[in-house]
């Protein structure tokens, strides 16, 4: 039975429940009505948190999925579009430890965290092909990657090119793994991670030699 008491309903709870539905039914199976039923609230209660409807919810899901927190200073409730920030509760690396690592290890820490989130919410990957919400988390990630690439010796337009290469590699690698999941010849997680890190190291060597 749907409750009209919306106390305790939050953006995080809505996003997480939406991801559960996507995991079980696919992106096409997500509707505001079904989401309201799962949360035991009227569908209109969701619009209180996402007044622009499903498109705004999709942007928030994309931001949540792609946020890999390995840099310090991220504060909830801040950013160019507060409503599109990912929800709280994401495990974060020790910022002092990460910031003191060499440039290639900082990027590796980010890439592994990013890969983990993409795999955890692989059902939403199709959203990421069409959406890149501007958030404070994304800006901090860009700043971290750019600083690391500059430390590696890149400058000018090559910094942005290097960053795009890293983002493209992570998305493409995870997409490739998800595409072949379930096949008899698909690698297990240990081997899949080894292959991801092998390609990442090759990419980082190339960037460091640029």
């Amino acid at each position: 039975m749907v409750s009209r008491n919306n106390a305790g309903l939050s953006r995080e709870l809505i996003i997480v429940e939406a991801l559960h539905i996507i995991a079980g039914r696919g992106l096409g199976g997500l509707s505001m009505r079904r989401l309201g039923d799962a949360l035991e609230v009227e569908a209109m209660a969701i619009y209180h948190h996402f007044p622009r409807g499903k498109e705004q919810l999709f942007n928030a899901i994309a931001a949540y999925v792609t946020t890999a927190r390995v840099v310090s200073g991220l504060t909830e409730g801040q950013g160019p579009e507060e409503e599109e920030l990912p929800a709280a509760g994401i495990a974060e690396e020790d910022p002092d430890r990460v910031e003191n690592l060499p440039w290639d290890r900082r990027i590796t820490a980010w890439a592994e965290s990013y890969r983990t989130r993409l795999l955890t919410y692989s059902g939403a990957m199709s959203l990421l092909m069409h959406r890149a919400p501007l958030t404070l988390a994304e800006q901090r990630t860009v700043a971290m990657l750019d600083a690391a690439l500059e430390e590696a010796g890149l400058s000018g337009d090559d910094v942005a090119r290097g960053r795009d290469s890293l983002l493209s590699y992570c998305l493409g690698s995870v997409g490739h793994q998800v595409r072949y999941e379930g096949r008899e010849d698909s690698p297990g997680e240990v081997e899949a991670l080894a292959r991801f890190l092998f390609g990442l190291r090759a990419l980082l060597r190339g960037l460091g030699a640029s």
Side-chain angles (χ1 to χ4, degrees):
M1 181 177 179
V2 175
S3 170
R4 294 184 182 275
N5 181 3
N6 301 327
L9 188 64
S10 66
R11 289 175 52 80
E12 178 179 8
L13 187 60
I14 293 169
I15 292 170
V16 170
E17 190 58 48
L19 285 165
H20 287 160
I21 293 173
I22 291 170
R25 295 177 174 268
L27 190 60
L30 177 64
S31 68
M32 292 303 211
R33 182 182 296 253
R34 179 169 283 142
L35 184 54
D37 288 345
L39 292 165
E40 298 185 341
V41 299
E42 298 287 350
M44 288 305 298
I46 299 170
Y47 287 90
H48 175 74
H49 297 274
F50 298 96
R52 297 201 300 274
K54 202 170 182 180
E55 287 300 305
Q56 185 182 8
L57 175 60
F58 281 166
N59 283 341
I61 291 171
Y64 183 89
V65 169
T66 57
T67 297
R69 293 190 185 177
V70 294
V71 291
S72 62
L74 181 60
T75 302
E76 287 301 330
Q78 296 180 0
E81 294 192 49
E82 179 180 340
E83 73 278 9
E84 292 181 355
L85 282 176
I90 305 170
E92 184 172 358
E93 296 279 351
D94 178 358
D96 292 331
R97 184 186 71 81
V98 170
E99 290 175 359
N100 290 327
L101 292 174
W103 71 269
D104 55 335
R105 292 182 61 191
R106 292 203 303 275
I107 292 176
T108 299
W110 161 80
E112 288 192 71
S113 179
Y114 190 34
R115 173 182 179 270
T116 297
R117 291 194 66 76
L118 292 175
L119 286 172
T120 300
Y121 304 113
S122 60
M125 280 199 68
S126 60
L127 281 177
L128 310 183
M129 300 299 105
H130 304 283
R131 300 168 191 272
L134 181 61
T135 65
L136 180 61
E138 180 189 30
Q139 291 180 328
R140 292 278 167 82
T141 297
V142 167
M144 183 276 293
L145 291 175
D146 287 359
L149 292 169
E150 288 171 359
E151 190 176 319
L154 273 62
S155 61
D157 291 340
D158 284 347
V159 174
R161 292 165 183 159
R163 185 200 329 128
D164 279 357
S165 296
L166 289 164
L167 289 164
S168 298
Y169 173 73
C170 291
L171 283 168
S173 177
V174 172
H176 179 76
Q177 180 178 342
V178 170
R179 181 184 180 189
Y180 288 98
E181 278 182 353
R183 281 186 20 169
E184 291 185 1
D185 59 345
S186 63
E189 173 53 25
V190 173
E191 175 59 20
L193 176 58
R195 294 182 185 187
F196 175 81
L197 292 175
F198 179 88
L200 180 63
R201 285 194 295 268
L203 178 55
L204 291 175
R205 283 195 298 270
L207 292 171
S210 297

